Coordinates of all heavy atoms in Angstrom, one line a residue:
K1367 N -17.4 50.2 190.7 CA -16.8 50.4 189.3 C -16.4 49.0 188.8 O -15.7 48.3 189.4 CB -15.6 51.3 189.3 CG -15.0 51.6 188.0 CD -13.8 52.4 188.1 CE -13.1 52.3 186.8 NZ -11.7 52.6 186.8
A1368 N -16.8 48.8 187.5 CA -16.4 47.5 186.9 C -14.9 47.5 186.5 O -14.3 48.5 186.2 CB -17.3 47.3 185.6
Q1369 N -14.4 46.3 186.5 CA -13.0 46.1 186.1 C -12.9 46.3 184.6 O -13.8 45.8 183.9 CB -12.6 44.7 186.5 CG -11.3 44.3 186.1 CD -10.9 43.0 186.8 OE1 -10.6 42.9 188.0 NE2 -11.0 41.9 186.1
E1370 N -11.9 47.0 184.1 CA -11.7 47.1 182.7 C -10.6 46.2 182.3 O -9.6 46.0 182.9 CB -11.2 48.6 182.4 CG -12.3 49.6 182.4 CD -11.7 50.9 181.9 OE1 -10.8 51.0 181.1 OE2 -12.2 51.9 182.4
I1371 N -10.8 45.5 181.1 CA -9.8 44.6 180.6 C -9.5 45.1 179.2 O -10.4 45.4 178.4 CB -10.4 43.2 180.5 CG1 -10.8 42.7 181.9 CG2 -9.3 42.3 179.9 CD1 -11.5 41.3 181.8
K1372 N -8.2 45.2 178.9 CA -7.8 45.5 177.5 C -6.9 44.4 177.0 O -6.1 43.8 177.8 CB -6.9 46.8 177.5 CG -7.6 48.0 177.9 CD -6.6 49.2 177.9 CE -7.3 50.5 178.4 NZ -6.4 51.6 178.5
I1373 N -7.2 43.9 175.8 CA -6.6 42.8 175.2 C -6.0 43.2 173.8 O -6.8 43.7 173.0 CB -7.5 41.6 175.1 CG1 -8.0 41.2 176.5 CG2 -6.8 40.4 174.4 CD1 -9.0 40.1 176.4
Y1374 N -4.8 43.0 173.6 CA -4.2 43.4 172.3 C -3.0 42.5 172.0 O -2.4 42.0 173.0 CB -3.9 44.9 172.3 CG -3.0 45.4 173.4 CD1 -1.6 45.4 173.2 CD2 -3.4 45.8 174.6 CE1 -0.7 45.8 174.2 CE2 -2.6 46.2 175.6 CZ -1.2 46.2 175.4 OH -0.4 46.7 176.3
P1375 N -2.5 42.4 170.8 CA -3.2 42.9 169.6 C -4.3 41.9 169.2 O -4.4 40.8 169.7 CB -2.1 42.8 168.5 CG -1.2 41.7 169.0 CD -1.3 41.7 170.5
S1376 N -5.2 42.3 168.3 CA -6.3 41.5 167.8 C -6.4 41.7 166.3 O -6.6 42.8 165.9 CB -7.6 41.9 168.5 OG -8.6 41.1 168.1
P1377 N -6.2 40.6 165.6 CA -5.9 39.3 166.0 C -4.5 39.1 166.5 O -3.6 40.0 166.2 CB -6.1 38.5 164.7 CG -5.8 39.4 163.6 CD -6.3 40.8 164.1
V1378 N -4.2 38.1 167.3 CA -2.9 37.9 167.8 C -2.3 36.6 167.2 O -3.0 35.7 166.8 CB -3.0 37.7 169.4 CG1 -3.9 36.5 169.7 CG2 -1.6 37.5 170.0
K1379 N -1.0 36.6 167.0 CA -0.3 35.5 166.4 C 0.7 34.8 167.5 O 0.8 33.6 167.5 CB 0.5 35.9 165.2 CG -0.4 36.2 164.0 CD 0.4 36.5 162.8 CE -0.5 36.9 161.7 NZ 0.2 37.1 160.4
N1380 N 1.4 35.7 168.3 CA 2.4 35.1 169.2 C 2.1 35.4 170.6 O 1.8 34.6 171.4 CB 3.8 35.6 168.8 CG 4.2 35.2 167.4 OD1 3.9 34.1 167.0 ND2 4.7 36.1 166.6
I1381 N 2.2 36.7 171.0 CA 2.1 37.2 172.4 C 0.8 38.0 172.5 O 0.7 39.0 171.8 CB 3.3 37.9 172.9 CG1 4.6 37.1 172.7 CG2 3.1 38.4 174.3 CD1 4.6 35.9 173.6
L1382 N -0.1 37.6 173.4 CA -1.3 38.3 173.8 C -1.0 39.1 175.1 O -0.6 38.5 176.0 CB -2.4 37.4 173.9 CG -3.8 38.0 174.3 CD1 -4.3 38.8 173.1 CD2 -4.8 37.0 174.7
T1383 N -1.3 40.4 175.0 CA -1.1 41.2 176.2 C -2.5 41.5 176.8 O -3.4 41.9 176.1 CB -0.4 42.5 175.9 OG1 0.9 42.2 175.4 CG2 -0.3 43.4 177.2
I1384 N -2.7 41.2 178.1 CA -3.9 41.5 178.8 C -3.6 42.5 179.9 O -2.7 42.3 180.7 CB -4.5 40.2 179.4 CG1 -4.7 39.2 178.4 CG2 -5.8 40.5 180.2 CD1 -5.0 37.8 178.9
E1385 N -4.3 43.6 179.9 CA -4.2 44.6 181.0 C -5.5 44.8 181.7 O -6.5 44.7 181.1 CB -3.7 46.0 180.4 CG -2.4 46.0 179.8 CD -2.0 47.3 179.2 OE1 -2.8 48.3 179.3 OE2 -0.9 47.5 178.8
W1386 N -5.5 45.0 183.0 CA -6.7 45.2 183.7 C -6.5 46.3 184.8 O -5.4 46.6 185.2 CB -7.2 43.9 184.4 CG -6.2 43.4 185.4 CD1 -6.1 43.6 186.7 CD2 -5.1 42.5 185.1 NE1 -5.1 42.9 187.3 CE2 -4.5 42.2 186.3 CE3 -4.7 41.9 183.9 CZ2 -3.4 41.3 186.4 CZ3 -3.6 41.0 184.0 CH2 -2.9 40.8 185.2
S1387 N -7.6 47.0 185.1 CA -7.5 48.0 186.2 C -8.6 47.6 187.2 O -9.7 47.3 186.9 CB -7.8 49.4 185.6 OG -9.1 49.4 185.0
D1388 N -8.1 47.5 188.4 CA -9.0 47.1 189.5 C -8.4 47.6 190.8 O -7.2 47.5 191.0 CB -9.1 45.6 189.5 CG -10.3 45.1 190.4 OD1 -10.5 45.7 191.4 OD2 -10.9 44.1 190.0
K1389 N -9.3 48.1 191.7 CA -8.8 48.6 193.0 C -8.7 47.5 194.0 O -8.2 47.7 195.1 CB -9.8 49.7 193.5 CG -10.0 50.8 192.5 CD -8.9 51.8 192.6 CE -9.2 53.0 191.8 NZ -8.0 53.7 191.4
V1390 N -9.2 46.3 193.6 CA -9.1 45.2 194.6 C -7.8 44.5 194.6 O -7.2 44.2 193.6 CB -10.2 44.1 194.1 CG1 -10.1 42.9 195.1 CG2 -11.6 44.7 194.1
N1391 N -7.2 44.4 195.8 CA -6.0 43.7 196.0 C -6.2 42.2 196.2 O -7.3 41.8 196.5 CB -5.2 44.2 197.2 CG -4.7 45.6 197.0 OD1 -4.3 45.9 195.9 ND2 -4.7 46.4 198.0
G1392 N -5.2 41.4 195.9 CA -5.4 40.0 196.0 C -5.2 39.3 194.7 O -4.8 39.9 193.7
E1393 N -5.5 38.0 194.7 CA -5.3 37.2 193.5 C -6.4 37.3 192.5 O -7.6 37.4 192.8 CB -5.1 35.7 194.0 CG -4.7 34.8 192.9 CD -4.5 33.4 193.4 OE1 -5.5 32.7 193.7 OE2 -3.3 33.0 193.6
H1394 N -6.0 37.3 191.2 CA -7.0 37.2 190.1 C -6.8 35.9 189.5 O -5.7 35.3 189.5 CB -6.7 38.3 189.0 CG -7.0 39.7 189.4 ND1 -7.7 40.1 190.4 CD2 -6.6 40.8 188.8 CE1 -7.8 41.4 190.5 NE2 -7.1 41.9 189.5
I1395 N -7.9 35.3 189.0 CA -7.8 34.1 188.2 C -8.2 34.4 186.8 O -9.2 34.9 186.5 CB -8.8 33.0 188.8 CG1 -8.6 32.8 190.3 CG2 -8.8 31.7 187.9 CD1 -7.3 32.2 190.6
L1396 N -7.2 34.1 185.9 CA -7.4 34.3 184.5 C -7.7 33.0 183.8 O -7.1 32.0 184.1 CB -6.1 34.8 183.9 CG -6.0 34.8 182.3 CD1 -6.8 36.0 181.8 CD2 -4.6 34.9 181.9
S1397 N -8.8 33.0 183.0 CA -9.2 31.8 182.3 C -9.4 32.1 180.8 O -9.9 33.2 180.5 CB -10.5 31.2 182.8 OG -10.4 30.9 184.2
I1398 N -8.9 31.2 180.0 CA -9.2 31.3 178.5 C -10.0 30.1 178.2 O -9.6 28.9 178.5 CB -7.9 31.3 177.7 CG1 -7.1 32.6 178.0 CG2 -8.3 31.3 176.2 CD1 -5.8 32.7 177.3
T1399 N -11.2 30.3 177.6 CA -12.1 29.2 177.2 C -12.4 29.3 175.7 O -12.4 30.4 175.1 CB -13.4 29.1 178.0 OG1 -14.0 30.4 177.8 CG2 -13.1 28.8 179.4
D1400 N -12.6 28.2 175.0 CA -13.0 28.2 173.6 C -14.5 28.4 173.5 O -15.2 28.5 174.5 CB -12.5 27.0 172.9 CG -13.1 25.7 173.4 OD1 -14.1 25.7 174.1 OD2 -12.5 24.6 173.0
L1401 N -15.0 28.4 172.3 CA -16.4 28.6 172.1 C -17.3 27.5 172.5 O -18.5 27.6 172.7 CB -16.7 28.9 170.6 CG -16.2 30.2 170.1 CD1 -16.5 30.4 168.6 CD2 -16.7 31.4 170.9
L1402 N -16.7 26.3 172.8 CA -17.4 25.2 173.3 C -17.5 25.1 174.8 O -18.0 24.2 175.4 CB -16.9 23.8 172.7 CG -16.9 23.7 171.2 CD1 -16.2 22.4 170.8 CD2 -18.4 23.7 170.8
G1403 N -16.8 26.1 175.4 CA -16.8 26.2 176.9 C -15.6 25.4 177.5 O -15.6 25.3 178.8
R1404 N -14.8 24.9 176.7 CA -13.6 24.1 177.3 C -12.6 25.1 177.8 O -12.2 26.0 177.1 CB -13.0 23.2 176.2 CG -13.9 22.1 175.8 CD -13.3 21.3 174.7 NE -13.1 22.1 173.5 CZ -12.9 21.6 172.3 NH1 -12.9 20.3 172.1 NH2 -12.7 22.5 171.3
T1405 N -12.0 24.9 179.0 CA -11.0 25.7 179.5 C -9.7 25.3 178.9 O -9.2 24.2 179.0 CB -10.9 25.6 181.1 OG1 -12.2 25.9 181.6 CG2 -9.8 26.4 181.6
I1406 N -9.1 26.3 178.2 CA -7.8 26.1 177.5 C -6.6 26.5 178.5 O -5.6 25.8 178.5 CB -7.7 27.0 176.3 CG1 -8.9 26.8 175.4 CG2 -6.4 26.8 175.6 CD1 -9.1 25.4 174.9
L1407 N -6.8 27.5 179.3 CA -5.8 27.9 180.2 C -6.4 28.5 181.5 O -7.5 29.2 181.4 CB -4.9 29.0 179.6 CG -3.9 29.7 180.5 CD1 -2.6 28.9 180.3 CD2 -3.7 31.1 180.1
R1408 N -5.9 28.2 182.6 CA -6.3 28.8 183.9 C -5.1 29.2 184.7 O -4.2 28.3 184.8 CB -7.2 27.8 184.6 CG -7.8 28.4 185.9 CD -8.8 27.4 186.4 NE -9.3 27.7 187.7 CZ -10.3 28.6 188.0 NH1 -11.0 29.1 187.0 NH2 -10.6 28.8 189.2
K1409 N -5.0 30.4 185.1 CA -3.7 30.9 185.7 C -4.0 31.9 186.8 O -4.9 32.8 186.6 CB -2.9 31.6 184.6 CG -1.5 32.0 185.0 CD -0.7 32.5 183.9 CE 0.7 32.9 184.3 NZ 1.5 33.3 183.2
A1410 N -3.3 31.8 187.9 CA -3.5 32.8 189.0 C -2.5 34.0 188.7 O -1.4 33.8 188.3 CB -3.1 32.2 190.3
L1411 N -3.1 35.2 188.9 CA -2.3 36.4 188.7 C -2.3 37.3 189.9 O -3.3 37.4 190.6 CB -2.9 37.2 187.5 CG -3.2 36.5 186.2 CD1 -4.0 37.4 185.3 CD2 -1.9 36.1 185.6
A1412 N -1.2 37.9 190.2 CA -1.2 38.9 191.3 C -1.9 40.2 190.8 O -1.6 40.7 189.7 CB 0.3 39.2 191.7
A1413 N -2.8 40.7 191.6 CA -3.6 41.9 191.2 C -2.7 43.1 191.0 O -3.0 43.9 190.1 CB -4.6 42.2 192.3
E1414 N -1.6 43.1 191.7 CA -0.7 44.3 191.6 C 0.0 44.5 190.3 O 0.4 45.5 189.9 CB 0.3 44.3 192.8 CG -0.3 44.2 194.2 CD -0.8 42.8 194.6 OE1 -0.2 41.8 194.1 OE2 -1.8 42.8 195.3
T1415 N 0.1 43.4 189.5 CA 0.9 43.4 188.3 C 0.1 44.2 187.2 O 0.8 44.9 186.4 CB 1.2 42.0 187.8 OG1 0.0 41.3 187.5 CG2 2.1 41.3 188.7
K1416 N -1.2 44.1 187.2 CA -2.1 44.8 186.2 C -1.8 44.5 184.7 O -2.4 45.1 183.9 CB -1.9 46.3 186.4 CG -2.2 46.8 187.8 CD -3.6 46.8 188.1 CE -3.8 47.6 189.4 NZ -4.7 46.9 190.3
Q1417 N -0.9 43.5 184.5 CA -0.7 43.1 183.1 C -0.1 41.7 183.0 O 0.6 41.3 183.9 CB 0.3 44.1 182.4 CG 0.6 43.7 181.0 CD 1.6 44.7 180.3 OE1 1.4 45.9 180.5 NE2 2.5 44.2 179.6
E1418 N -0.5 41.0 182.0 CA 0.0 39.6 181.7 C 0.3 39.5 180.2 O -0.5 39.9 179.4 CB -1.0 38.6 182.2 CG -0.5 37.2 182.1 CD 0.6 36.8 183.0 OE1 0.8 37.4 184.1 OE2 1.2 35.7 182.8
N1419 N 1.4 38.9 179.9 CA 1.8 38.6 178.5 C 1.7 37.1 178.3 O 2.4 36.4 179.0 CB 3.1 39.1 178.1 CG 3.2 40.6 178.1 OD1 2.3 41.3 177.6 ND2 4.2 41.2 178.8
L1420 N 0.9 36.6 177.4 CA 0.7 35.2 177.3 C 1.2 34.8 175.9 O 0.8 35.4 174.9 CB -0.8 34.8 177.4 CG -1.5 35.1 178.7 CD1 -3.0 34.8 178.6 CD2 -0.9 34.2 179.8
D1421 N 1.9 33.7 175.8 CA 2.3 33.1 174.6 C 1.2 32.2 174.1 O 0.9 31.2 174.7 CB 3.6 32.3 174.8 CG 4.2 31.7 173.5 OD1 3.4 31.7 172.5 OD2 5.3 31.2 173.5
V1422 N 0.6 32.6 173.0 CA -0.6 31.9 172.5 C -0.3 31.2 171.1 O -1.3 30.8 170.4 CB -1.8 32.8 172.4 CG1 -2.3 33.2 173.8 CG2 -1.6 34.0 171.5
Q1423 N 0.9 31.0 170.8 CA 1.3 30.4 169.5 C 0.7 29.0 169.3 O 0.4 28.6 168.2 CB 2.8 30.4 169.4 CG 3.4 31.7 169.3 CD 4.9 31.6 169.1 OE1 5.4 31.1 168.1 NE2 5.7 31.9 170.1
T1424 N 0.5 28.3 170.4 CA 0.0 26.9 170.3 C -1.5 26.8 170.2 O -2.0 25.7 169.9 CB 0.5 26.1 171.5 OG1 0.0 26.7 172.7 CG2 2.0 26.0 171.6
L1425 N -2.2 27.9 170.4 CA -3.7 27.9 170.3 C -4.1 27.8 168.8 O -3.5 28.5 168.0 CB -4.3 29.1 170.9 CG -4.2 29.3 172.4 CD1 -4.9 30.5 172.9 CD2 -4.7 28.1 173.2
A1426 N -5.1 27.0 168.5 CA -5.7 26.9 167.2 C -6.3 28.3 166.8 O -6.9 28.9 167.7 CB -6.7 25.8 167.1
P1427 N -6.3 28.7 165.6 CA -6.9 29.9 165.2 C -8.4 29.9 165.5 O -9.0 28.8 165.4 CB -6.7 30.0 163.7 CG -5.5 29.2 163.4 CD -5.6 28.1 164.5
G1428 N -9.0 30.9 166.0 CA -10.4 30.9 166.3 C -10.7 32.0 167.4 O -9.9 32.8 167.7
Y1429 N -11.9 31.9 167.9 CA -12.4 32.9 168.9 C -12.3 32.2 170.3 O -12.6 31.0 170.5 CB -13.8 33.3 168.7 CG -14.0 34.1 167.5 CD1 -14.4 33.6 166.3 CD2 -13.7 35.5 167.5 CE1 -14.5 34.4 165.1 CE2 -13.9 36.3 166.4 CZ -14.3 35.7 165.2 OH -14.4 36.5 164.1
Y1430 N -11.9 33.0 171.3 CA -11.8 32.6 172.7 C -12.4 33.6 173.6 O -12.4 34.8 173.3 CB -10.3 32.4 173.0 CG -9.7 31.3 172.2 CD1 -9.1 31.5 171.0 CD2 -9.7 29.9 172.7 CE1 -8.5 30.5 170.3 CE2 -9.1 28.9 172.0 CZ -8.5 29.2 170.8 OH -8.0 28.2 170.0
F1431 N -12.7 33.2 174.8 CA -13.2 34.1 175.8 C -12.1 34.2 176.9 O -11.6 33.1 177.3 CB -14.5 33.6 176.5 CG -15.7 33.6 175.5 CD1 -16.1 32.5 174.9 CD2 -16.4 34.8 175.4 CE1 -17.2 32.5 174.0 CE2 -17.5 34.9 174.5 CZ -17.9 33.7 173.8
I1432 N -11.9 35.4 177.4 CA -10.9 35.6 178.4 C -11.7 36.1 179.6 O -12.5 37.1 179.5 CB -9.8 36.6 178.0 CG1 -9.0 35.9 176.9 CG2 -9.0 36.9 179.2 CD1 -7.9 36.8 176.4
T1433 N -11.5 35.5 180.8 CA -12.2 35.9 182.0 C -11.2 36.1 183.1 O -10.3 35.4 183.3 CB -13.2 34.7 182.4 OG1 -14.1 34.4 181.4 CG2 -14.0 35.2 183.6
I1434 N -11.4 37.3 183.8 CA -10.7 37.5 185.0 C -11.6 37.6 186.2 O -12.6 38.4 186.2 CB -9.9 38.8 184.9 CG1 -8.8 38.7 183.7 CG2 -9.2 39.2 186.2 CD1 -8.0 40.0 183.5
Q1435 N -11.3 36.7 187.2 CA -12.2 36.7 188.4 C -11.4 37.2 189.6 O -10.3 36.8 189.8 CB -12.6 35.2 188.6 CG -13.5 35.1 189.8 CD -14.0 33.7 190.0 OE1 -13.8 32.8 189.2 NE2 -14.6 33.4 191.2
T1436 N -12.0 38.1 190.3 CA -11.5 38.6 191.6 C -12.5 38.4 192.6 O -13.5 39.1 192.6 CB -11.1 40.0 191.5 OG1 -10.2 40.2 190.4 CG2 -10.4 40.5 192.7
G1437 N -12.3 37.5 193.5 CA -13.4 37.2 194.5 C -14.6 36.8 193.9 O -14.7 35.8 193.1
N1438 N -15.7 37.5 194.1 CA -17.0 37.2 193.5 C -17.3 38.0 192.2 O -18.4 37.9 191.7 CB -18.2 37.3 194.5 CG -18.3 38.7 195.0 OD1 -17.6 39.6 194.6 ND2 -19.3 38.9 195.8
K1439 N -16.3 38.8 191.8 CA -16.5 39.7 190.6 C -15.8 39.0 189.4 O -14.7 38.6 189.5 CB -15.9 41.0 190.9 CG -16.1 42.0 189.8 CD -15.8 43.4 190.2 CE -14.4 43.6 190.7 NZ -14.0 45.0 190.9
V1440 N -16.5 39.0 188.3 CA -16.0 38.3 187.1 C -16.2 39.3 185.9 O -17.2 39.9 185.7 CB -16.8 37.0 186.7 CG1 -16.3 36.5 185.4 CG2 -16.7 36.0 187.8
S1441 N -15.1 39.5 185.1 CA -15.1 40.3 183.9 C -14.7 39.4 182.8 O -13.7 38.6 182.9 CB -14.1 41.5 184.1 OG -14.5 42.3 185.1
A1442 N -15.4 39.5 181.7 CA -15.1 38.7 180.5 C -15.1 39.5 179.2 O -15.7 40.5 179.1 CB -16.1 37.5 180.4
I1443 N -14.3 39.0 178.3 CA -14.2 39.6 177.0 C -13.9 38.5 175.9 O -13.3 37.5 176.2 CB -13.1 40.7 176.9 CG1 -13.2 41.6 175.7 CG2 -11.7 40.1 177.1 CD1 -12.4 42.9 175.8
K1444 N -14.5 38.7 174.7 CA -14.3 37.8 173.6 C -13.1 38.2 172.8 O -13.0 39.4 172.5 CB -15.6 37.7 172.8 CG -15.6 36.7 171.7 CD -16.9 36.7 171.0 CE -16.9 35.8 169.8 NZ -18.2 35.8 169.1

């Protein structure tokens, strides 16, 4: 089963909430990249938390990709 990622609100101004569901235990790696492929943020997350709130006030307005990697499995959303 693929990992589900929910991101809200969209558009976001201050705090972005990311929720994921995954049966895999262990560390997740969260990455935010811009449309040019530059990594804006990279953060390790505990799989058990299932949610992360990110302060994104300092990001320039635009589109970004959010990726969550667990082992060799990668889930991404724009």
Side-chain angles (χ1 to χ4, degrees):
K1367 179 186 170 202
Q1369 175 172 284
E1370 283 185 33
I1371 302 174
K1372 294 180 185 175
I1373 299 173
Y1374 57 90
S1376 181
V1378 61
K1379 290 185 181 184
N1380 299 318
I1381 302 297
L1382 178 68
T1383 300
I1384 303 168
E1385 294 180 357
W1386 60 93
S1387 62
D1388 194 323
K1389 303 281 186 204
V1390 177
N1391 289 324
E1393 188 176 74
H1394 289 345
I1395 303 297
L1396 168 76
S1397 298
I1398 297 179
T1399 55
D1400 65 14
L1401 292 178
L1402 298 176
R1404 295 178 295 201
T1405 300
I1406 306 300
L1407 175 92
R1408 186 171 168 87
K1409 184 174 184 178
L1411 308 171
E1414 301 79 32
T1415 61
K1416 307 284 190 225
Q1417 179 176 317
E1418 181 73 17
N1419 295 314
L1420 297 174
D1421 183 348
V1422 294
Q1423 294 181 68
T1424 59
L1425 294 183
Y1429 290 98
Y1430 295 89
F1431 292 98
I1432 295 178
T1433 305
I1434 296 180
Q1435 179 178 352
T1436 305
N1438 61 359
K1439 185 167 56 170
V1440 176
S1441 298
I1443 193 165
K1444 183 176 176 184

